[in-house]
């Protein structure tokens, strides 16, 4: 199972204030631990939203609207992510729990989200198809 | 947090910490069986206390401290008792209680490595190595291991008990081998991991084509190993090979759960993240090794497929060359068979068929379903459908995997029309 640990943006990260040496090395150490446990798949830090753009589709079927960053509401923005592969949700929570406070001055927030596995959707449609087939058989048996 | 939640969290923590616990305890006690028992005791204490006191801030350290105290108690008692654990008690003289804290840091990687070398020791049979490794390093329960291998739980349990007994009887030391021995022993470790991976990747029997748990465990173990022995080319080679193969897990079966051959797979379903990781591991492997070992070579072959946007763009000439190199490092009829396929793709089916025909006399390939299956393939390409059908039918009688059998019979039928 894959999970993404999403680090929310802070006013500091939005202003390109680099983390303190202490926080930096805590992050380093944490990711080393992930790697040593064989669960780290990927990680990256994102530049502030001032470097980004937003594309929205306010009118269905209409032209998209492009807006340049920065965007307000730091908490709704992402400053980085860490992608892990673990055996259970509990294990993911445990790892997320060990993530260092990414801000250190009260704004730190991380979010843990499971990824859809590529199989999830097909398995579901497969099961649905099977269910439908069974229902049909039952219906037909009732008729006879 | 409810009791059930606490239990589930404790399970997860066990999975994360058990190998480290067992490894450190084995170093103290010089006996993997007692080490596992004491680690389990610590878990039981956690299960009793955590629902009341809450899960500690550093659960790993909590478990380690609890386990170490119990180990120290155990050794004190052993010292007082007769000679049964005399040797262990003797070793304990070298151990001070303050070491308990020190062991929490630093040397964990080394201990894990020692433990891997122990569970993958040549005195054990390949099956026993896999079972013991899954149990002690991956933290899998006997039930999970049994389910992955489709064997009875009691068989696995016995296998593990016997393996531990062998380790004790043969006085297998808890050490990292050095010099030439390191290469040999490391290759056994890699073999165990790859065996685990393959068992999951293509089930040898039954209806389950893929048993993902084993693949994931093997991958995880490979990734761990690459961190603790970062300078061994073949370790990265194996990791690369597994990452790239795992990138195709989802494309390997169709919605009807039938296997799909590599060249027929939907490449957009390949996991690009795993491919990227695989290619990076291959690069590390190539930087470390002057000549590539068998895993790195196989990874390089896999990488050729991974890098081709469509099957038609596959660099078959490079793959043929890599198979030739592989045949030189590890000569085997199976490598030869694969080389034949690559050559037929690069230079035409008749060249491949030549090699395959020579292989038909090979006694070790008797009963190997891929030989007639490949031969059938080449014959189809040459328009010799009647002969091809016979080959596919023959192959179908040889495989133990039901899905594969179906696939082969389908191909045989296709030859008739």
């Amino acid at each position: 199972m894959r999970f993404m640990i999403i680090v929310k943006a802070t006013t500091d990260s939005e202003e390109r204030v680099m983390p303190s040496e202490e926080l930096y090395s805590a992050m380093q150490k944490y990711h080393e631990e992930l790697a040593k446990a064989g669960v780290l798949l990927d990680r990256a830090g994102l530049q502030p939203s001032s470097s980004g753009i937003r594309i929205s589709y306010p009118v269905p079927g209409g032209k998209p609207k492009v807006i340049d960053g920065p965007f307000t509401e730091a908490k709704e923005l992402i400053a980085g992510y860490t992608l892990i592969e673990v055996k259970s949700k509990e294990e993911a929570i445990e790892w997320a729990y060990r993530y260092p406070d990414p801000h250190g001055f009260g704004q730190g927030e991380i979010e843990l989200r499971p990824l859809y596995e590529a199989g999830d959707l097909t398995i579901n449609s497969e099961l649905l198809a099977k269910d439908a087939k069974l229902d049909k058989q039952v219906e037909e048996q009732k008729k006879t | 947090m409810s009791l059930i939640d606490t239990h589930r969290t404790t399970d997860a923590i066990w999975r994360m910490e058990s190998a480290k616990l067992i490894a450190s305890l084995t170093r103290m006690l010089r006996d993997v069986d007692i080490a596992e028992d004491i680690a389990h005791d610590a878990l039981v204490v956690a299960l009793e206390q955590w629902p009341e006191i809450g899960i500690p801030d550093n659960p790993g350290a909590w478990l380690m401290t609890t386990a170490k105290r119990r180990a120290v108690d155990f050794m004190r008692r052993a010292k007082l008792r007769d000679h049964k654990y005399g040797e262990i008690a003797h070793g304990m003289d070298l151990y001070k209680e303050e070491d308990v804290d020190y062991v929490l840091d630093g040397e964990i990687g080394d201990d894990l490595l020692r433990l891997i070398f122990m569970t993958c020791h040549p005195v054990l049979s390949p099956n026993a190595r896999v079972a013991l490794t899954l149990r002690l390093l991956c933290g899998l329960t006997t039930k999970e291991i049994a389910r992955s291998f489709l064997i009875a739980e009691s068989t696995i349990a016995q296998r593990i008990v016997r393996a531990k007994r062998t380790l004790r009887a043969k006085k297998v030391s808890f050490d990292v081998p050095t010099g030439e021995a390191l290469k040999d022993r490391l290759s056994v470790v890699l073999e165990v991991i790859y065996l685990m991976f393959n068992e999951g990747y293509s089930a040898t029997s039954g209806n389950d084509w893929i048993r993902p748990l084993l693949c994931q465990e093997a991958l995880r173990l490979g990734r761990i190993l690459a961190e603790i022995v970062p300078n061994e080319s073949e370790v990265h080679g194996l990791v690369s090979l597994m990452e790239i193969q795992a990138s195709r897990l989802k494309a390997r079966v169709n919605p009807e759960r039938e296997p799909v051959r590599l060249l027929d797979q939907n490449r957009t379903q390949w996991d690009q993240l795993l491919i990227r990781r695989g290619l990076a591991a291959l690069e590390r492997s190539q930087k470390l090794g002057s000549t590539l070992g068998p895993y790195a070579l196989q990874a390089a072959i896999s990488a050729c497929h991974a890098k081709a946007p469509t099957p038609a763009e596959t660099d078959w000439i490079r793959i043929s060359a890599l198979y030739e190199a592989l045949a030189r490092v590890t000569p085997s009829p199976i490598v030869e068979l694969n080389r034949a396929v690559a050559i037929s793709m690069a230079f035409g089916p008749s060249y491949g068929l030549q090699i395959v025909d020579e292989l038909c006399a090979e006694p070790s390939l008797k009963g190997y379903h891929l030989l007639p299956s490949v031969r059938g393939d080449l014959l189809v390409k040459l328009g010799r459908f009647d002969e091809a059908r016979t080959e596919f039918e023959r192959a179908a009688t040889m495989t133990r995997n039901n899905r594969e059998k179906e696939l082969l019979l389908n191909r045989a039928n296709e030859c008739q029309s």
Side-chain angles (χ1 to χ4, degrees), chain B residues 32-62:
Chain B
V32 75
D33 193 19
I34 304 170
E36 196 195 2
D37 278 350
I38 289 181
H40 266 286
D41 286 349
L43 179 70
V44 171
V45 177
L47 281 170
E48 280 165 11
Q49 295 191 5
W50 290 0
E52 302 216 344
I53 60 168
I55 291 166
D57 284 342
N58 190 340
W62 192 100

Short mmCIF file of all heavy atoms in Angstrom, two decimals, chain B residues 32-62:
data_model
loop_
_atom_site.label_atom_id
_atom_site.label_comp_id
_atom_site.label_asym_id
_atom_site.label_seq_id
_atom_site.Cartn_x
_atom_site.Cartn_y
_atom_site.Cartn_z
N VAL B 32 19.37 -17.05 18.13
CA VAL B 32 18.29 -16.36 17.46
C VAL B 32 16.92 -16.79 17.99
O VAL B 32 15.97 -16.01 18.00
CB VAL B 32 18.43 -16.54 15.93
CG1 VAL B 32 18.01 -17.93 15.50
CG2 VAL B 32 17.64 -15.49 15.18
N ASP B 33 16.86 -18.02 18.45
CA ASP B 33 15.58 -18.55 18.94
C ASP B 33 15.17 -17.86 20.25
O ASP B 33 14.05 -17.36 20.38
CB ASP B 33 15.74 -20.07 19.16
CG ASP B 33 14.39 -20.73 19.37
OD1 ASP B 33 13.37 -20.13 18.99
OD2 ASP B 33 14.38 -21.85 19.91
N ILE B 34 16.13 -17.81 21.18
CA ILE B 34 15.85 -17.13 22.45
C ILE B 34 15.61 -15.64 22.18
O ILE B 34 14.72 -15.03 22.78
CB ILE B 34 17.02 -17.32 23.44
CG1 ILE B 34 17.29 -18.82 23.64
CG2 ILE B 34 16.74 -16.66 24.77
CD1 ILE B 34 18.57 -19.11 24.39
N ALA B 35 16.37 -15.08 21.26
CA ALA B 35 16.20 -13.66 20.92
C ALA B 35 14.78 -13.40 20.44
O ALA B 35 14.14 -12.43 20.86
CB ALA B 35 17.21 -13.26 19.84
N GLU B 36 14.28 -14.28 19.60
CA GLU B 36 12.92 -14.07 19.09
C GLU B 36 11.90 -14.19 20.22
O GLU B 36 10.95 -13.41 20.30
CB GLU B 36 12.61 -15.07 17.97
CG GLU B 36 11.38 -14.64 17.17
CD GLU B 36 10.79 -15.73 16.30
OE1 GLU B 36 11.31 -16.87 16.33
OE2 GLU B 36 9.79 -15.45 15.62
N ASP B 37 12.12 -15.17 21.08
CA ASP B 37 11.21 -15.35 22.22
C ASP B 37 11.15 -14.10 23.09
O ASP B 37 10.08 -13.64 23.47
CB ASP B 37 11.68 -16.52 23.11
CG ASP B 37 11.22 -17.85 22.54
OD1 ASP B 37 10.40 -17.83 21.60
OD2 ASP B 37 11.68 -18.91 23.02
N ILE B 38 12.33 -13.56 23.37
CA ILE B 38 12.37 -12.39 24.26
C ILE B 38 11.76 -11.17 23.57
O ILE B 38 11.04 -10.39 24.18
CB ILE B 38 13.82 -12.14 24.74
CG1 ILE B 38 14.19 -13.26 25.73
CG2 ILE B 38 13.95 -10.76 25.38
CD1 ILE B 38 15.56 -13.16 26.31
N ALA B 39 12.02 -11.05 22.27
CA ALA B 39 11.40 -9.95 21.53
C ALA B 39 9.88 -10.07 21.60
O ALA B 39 9.16 -9.08 21.78
CB ALA B 39 11.88 -9.96 20.08
N HIS B 40 9.39 -11.31 21.47
CA HIS B 40 7.95 -11.54 21.57
C HIS B 40 7.42 -11.21 22.96
O HIS B 40 6.34 -10.63 23.09
CB HIS B 40 7.61 -13.00 21.23
CG HIS B 40 7.25 -13.16 19.78
ND1 HIS B 40 6.04 -12.74 19.28
CD2 HIS B 40 7.94 -13.69 18.75
CE1 HIS B 40 6.02 -12.99 17.98
NE2 HIS B 40 7.14 -13.57 17.63
N ASP B 41 8.21 -11.57 23.98
CA ASP B 41 7.82 -11.23 25.35
C ASP B 41 7.62 -9.72 25.47
O ASP B 41 6.65 -9.26 26.07
CB ASP B 41 8.91 -11.66 26.34
CG ASP B 41 8.92 -13.17 26.54
OD1 ASP B 41 7.97 -13.81 26.07
OD2 ASP B 41 9.89 -13.67 27.14
N ALA B 42 8.56 -8.97 24.89
CA ALA B 42 8.47 -7.51 24.97
C ALA B 42 7.18 -7.04 24.29
O ALA B 42 6.50 -6.12 24.76
CB ALA B 42 9.69 -6.87 24.31
N LEU B 43 6.84 -7.71 23.20
CA LEU B 43 5.61 -7.35 22.50
C LEU B 43 4.38 -7.62 23.37
O LEU B 43 3.44 -6.82 23.41
CB LEU B 43 5.51 -8.13 21.18
CG LEU B 43 4.25 -7.89 20.36
CD1 LEU B 43 4.26 -6.48 19.75
CD2 LEU B 43 4.11 -8.92 19.24
N VAL B 44 4.43 -8.75 24.06
CA VAL B 44 3.31 -9.10 24.94
C VAL B 44 3.16 -8.05 26.04
O VAL B 44 2.05 -7.60 26.35
CB VAL B 44 3.51 -10.51 25.54
CG1 VAL B 44 2.47 -10.79 26.61
CG2 VAL B 44 3.43 -11.57 24.44
N VAL B 45 4.29 -7.62 26.60
CA VAL B 45 4.25 -6.58 27.62
C VAL B 45 3.63 -5.31 27.04
O VAL B 45 2.78 -4.66 27.65
CB VAL B 45 5.67 -6.27 28.16
CG1 VAL B 45 5.63 -5.12 29.16
CG2 VAL B 45 6.28 -7.51 28.80
N ALA B 46 4.03 -4.98 25.81
CA ALA B 46 3.48 -3.79 25.15
C ALA B 46 1.97 -3.93 24.98
O ALA B 46 1.22 -2.99 25.25
CB ALA B 46 4.15 -3.58 23.80
N LEU B 47 1.54 -5.10 24.57
CA LEU B 47 0.11 -5.31 24.35
C LEU B 47 -0.68 -5.17 25.65
O LEU B 47 -1.83 -4.75 25.65
CB LEU B 47 -0.14 -6.69 23.73
CG LEU B 47 0.13 -6.80 22.23
CD1 LEU B 47 0.09 -8.25 21.77
CD2 LEU B 47 -0.86 -5.95 21.43
N GLU B 48 -0.02 -5.54 26.76
CA GLU B 48 -0.69 -5.41 28.06
C GLU B 48 -0.70 -3.96 28.52
O GLU B 48 -1.71 -3.46 29.01
CB GLU B 48 0.05 -6.24 29.11
CG GLU B 48 -0.27 -7.73 29.06
CD GLU B 48 0.75 -8.55 29.86
OE1 GLU B 48 1.57 -7.96 30.61
OE2 GLU B 48 0.72 -9.77 29.71
N GLN B 49 0.45 -3.29 28.35
CA GLN B 49 0.59 -1.97 28.97
C GLN B 49 0.12 -0.80 28.11
O GLN B 49 -0.41 0.17 28.64
CB GLN B 49 2.05 -1.76 29.38
CG GLN B 49 2.47 -2.73 30.47
CD GLN B 49 3.82 -2.35 31.07
OE1 GLN B 49 4.40 -1.33 30.75
NE2 GLN B 49 4.31 -3.19 31.96
N TRP B 50 0.32 -0.91 26.81
CA TRP B 50 0.01 0.25 25.97
C TRP B 50 -1.46 0.68 26.01
O TRP B 50 -1.74 1.87 26.01
CB TRP B 50 0.51 0.03 24.53
CG TRP B 50 2.00 0.05 24.44
CD1 TRP B 50 2.88 0.24 25.48
CD2 TRP B 50 2.80 -0.13 23.28
NE1 TRP B 50 4.17 0.19 25.03
CE2 TRP B 50 4.15 -0.04 23.67
CE3 TRP B 50 2.53 -0.35 21.93
CZ2 TRP B 50 5.20 -0.16 22.77
CZ3 TRP B 50 3.56 -0.48 21.01
CH2 TRP B 50 4.89 -0.39 21.44
N PRO B 51 -2.40 -0.28 26.04
CA PRO B 51 -3.78 0.19 26.13
C PRO B 51 -4.02 1.03 27.38
O PRO B 51 -4.91 1.88 27.38
CB PRO B 51 -4.59 -1.11 26.18
CG PRO B 51 -3.72 -2.11 25.50
CD PRO B 51 -2.32 -1.73 25.88
N GLU B 52 -3.23 0.81 28.41
CA GLU B 52 -3.42 1.57 29.65
C GLU B 52 -2.62 2.87 29.65
O GLU B 52 -3.15 3.94 29.93
CB GLU B 52 -3.00 0.72 30.85
CG GLU B 52 -3.79 -0.58 30.92
CD GLU B 52 -4.07 -0.98 32.34
OE1 GLU B 52 -3.41 -0.44 33.25
OE2 GLU B 52 -4.97 -1.83 32.53
N ILE B 53 -1.32 2.75 29.35
CA ILE B 53 -0.46 3.94 29.47
C ILE B 53 -0.41 4.74 28.17
O ILE B 53 0.16 5.82 28.11
CB ILE B 53 0.98 3.57 29.89
CG1 ILE B 53 1.62 2.62 28.86
CG2 ILE B 53 1.00 2.94 31.28
CD1 ILE B 53 3.12 2.43 29.04
N GLY B 54 -0.98 4.19 27.11
CA GLY B 54 -0.90 4.86 25.81
C GLY B 54 0.36 4.43 25.09
O GLY B 54 1.32 3.96 25.71
N ILE B 55 0.35 4.61 23.77
CA ILE B 55 1.53 4.21 22.99
C ILE B 55 2.64 5.22 23.23
O ILE B 55 2.43 6.42 23.10
CB ILE B 55 1.17 4.10 21.50
CG1 ILE B 55 0.24 2.89 21.31
CG2 ILE B 55 2.41 3.95 20.64
CD1 ILE B 55 -0.46 2.83 20.00
N PRO B 56 3.83 4.74 23.62
CA PRO B 56 4.91 5.68 23.95
C PRO B 56 5.34 6.51 22.75
O PRO B 56 5.10 6.13 21.60
CB PRO B 56 6.04 4.75 24.43
CG PRO B 56 5.66 3.38 24.04
CD PRO B 56 4.20 3.34 23.83
N ASP B 57 6.00 7.63 23.03
CA ASP B 57 6.44 8.52 21.95
C ASP B 57 7.43 7.82 21.02
O ASP B 57 7.41 8.02 19.82
CB ASP B 57 7.11 9.77 22.54
CG ASP B 57 6.08 10.73 23.08
OD1 ASP B 57 4.89 10.59 22.67
OD2 ASP B 57 6.43 11.60 23.89
N ASN B 58 8.29 7.04 21.61
CA ASN B 58 9.25 6.30 20.80
C ASN B 58 9.05 4.81 21.04
O ASN B 58 9.79 4.18 21.82
CB ASN B 58 10.68 6.75 21.15
CG ASN B 58 11.69 6.20 20.17
OD1 ASN B 58 11.42 5.23 19.46
ND2 ASN B 58 12.86 6.81 20.12
N PRO B 59 8.07 4.22 20.38
CA PRO B 59 7.72 2.82 20.69
C PRO B 59 8.86 1.85 20.42
O PRO B 59 9.01 0.85 21.13
CB PRO B 59 6.53 2.53 19.77
CG PRO B 59 6.45 3.64 18.81
CD PRO B 59 7.23 4.78 19.33
N GLY B 60 9.68 2.16 19.41
CA GLY B 60 10.80 1.28 19.10
C GLY B 60 11.77 1.20 20.26
O GLY B 60 12.19 0.11 20.68
N ALA B 61 12.11 2.36 20.79
CA ALA B 61 13.04 2.41 21.92
C ALA B 61 12.44 1.75 23.14
O ALA B 61 13.12 1.04 23.89
CB ALA B 61 13.41 3.86 22.23
N TRP B 62 11.14 1.95 23.34
CA TRP B 62 10.44 1.33 24.47
C TRP B 62 10.55 -0.19 24.39
O TRP B 62 10.91 -0.86 25.37
CB TRP B 62 8.97 1.77 24.44
CG TRP B 62 8.17 1.45 25.67
CD1 TRP B 62 7.86 2.32 26.68
CD2 TRP B 62 7.55 0.20 26.01
NE1 TRP B 62 7.10 1.68 27.63
CE2 TRP B 62 6.89 0.38 27.25
CE3 TRP B 62 7.50 -1.05 25.41
CZ2 TRP B 62 6.18 -0.64 27.88
CZ3 TRP B 62 6.80 -2.07 26.03
CH2 TRP B 62 6.15 -1.86 27.26
#
